[in-house]
Amino acid sequence: MTQNIIQEDLILDYESYDDVINNRDIDPYADSQFKPIKDMTSKRKGRFFELLTEEYVDRELKMTVSKPTNSDHDTIINGKKVEIKGSFRWVVDGQLKHYRWQQIRPSQDYEFMLFLALDPNKCEFYCGSKQEISDFVTVQDSNGNYPYNQHGGVSMNSGTFMVQGFPKDFPFMRDLSEFLA
């Protein structure tokens, strides 16, 4: 008979047990204050990104926020029409990977796109001009494909695009004050 036993009531004392029960072994967001937002539906999360952005630029950057003039942009900041896109870092096999900003539509009525990049510890804000972003996402590669096309495969231009990577990978993602001040 073995003497090497963990009784049921003592398993609670083991860190590995606590990590598994609280999903920390597979979810880097498990202990993050951002987890409840990450777990929201896409629509609700998008609305939160809009509200957070408006509150942040008003409170921290002392910028003026106004209601949008139509449904093609999310807000107006310092008189400029702004579309807002947010992404959490994707988690694959318990590891943090890239960001993915989706539903980028160059045909819509906005002047600037503001990107939120959230990881378990912070939310960063970046901005780019519609022209720079449109030029970037609508490019065709040497094979005639649209590598950033979101719907219908890369062989067509659906008018809706996405980018995935890190803010440093995209020359159009720069400081908010460069565009909105």
Side-chain angles (χ1 to χ4, degrees):
M1 179 178 271
T2 183
Q3 298 298 316
N4 301 305
I5 300 171
I6 299 174
Q7 297 294 334
E8 178 186 8
D9 59 333
L10 297 179
I11 194 70
L12 300 174
D13 296 336
Y14 284 80
E15 186 177 330
S16 57
Y17 176 81
D18 190 58
D19 285 348
V20 167
I21 294 302
N22 291 295
N23 290 326
R24 284 188 290 274
D25 62 322
I26 58 170
D27 184 2
Y29 291 93
D31 290 331
S32 172
Q33 296 297 317
F34 293 114
K35 175 132 176 84
I37 295 120
K38 183 181 177 293
D39 292 344
M40 290 178 180
T41 64
S42 293
K43 185 174 183 173
R44 190 160 181 228
K45 198 181 308 180
R47 183 64 183 135
F48 172 78
F49 291 153
E50 294 166 12
L51 295 171
L52 179 64
T53 298
E54 290 175 341
E55 187 175 358
Y56 176 78
V57 300
D58 175 55
R59 189 168 122 178
E60 303 298 331
L61 304 178
K62 309 300 183 215
M63 294 180 175
T64 302
V65 176
S66 307
K67 292 187 183 309
T69 57
N70 62 56
S71 61
D72 276 1
H73 52 276
D74 295 315
T75 191
I76 296 178
I77 300 173
N78 282 350
K80 297 167 183 156
K81 296 176 185 174
V82 177
E83 179 71 1
I84 298 168
K85 300 295 177 187
S87 178
F88 282 87
R89 281 186 63 188
W90 286 52
V91 178
V92 178
D93 296 327
Q95 300 298 310
L96 288 169
K97 300 295 181 185
H98 57 269
Y99 298 94
R100 182 180 294 163
W101 294 276
Q102 303 182 90
Q103 306 297 323
I104 297 170
R105 295 183 179 95
S107 65
Q108 289 186 316
D109 178 30
Y110 59 91
E111 298 168 88
F112 299 94
M113 187 167 282
L114 197 146
F115 299 88
L116 285 76
L118 294 97
D119 68 30
N121 302 308
K122 65 186 175 306
C123 174
E124 297 177 333
F125 296 84
Y126 299 90
C127 193
S129 73
K130 176 182 179 177
Q131 187 62 58
E132 276 187 282
I133 296 163
S134 296
D135 290 347
F136 186 91
V137 299
T138 58
V139 72
Q140 282 184 282
D141 66 17
S142 59
N143 297 319
N145 291 323
Y146 296 89
Y148 303 104
N149 191 54
Q150 187 171 339
H151 302 296
V154 296
S155 63
M156 66 177 291
N157 178 344
S158 69
T160 303
F161 302 89
M162 62 104 178
V163 293
Q164 71 178 22
F166 295 90
K168 67 178 177 54
D169 300 331
F170 306 106
F172 53 81
M173 287 194 191
R174 300 195 297 276
D175 190 82
L176 275 61
S177 61
E178 182 176 337
F179 300 99
L180 302 177

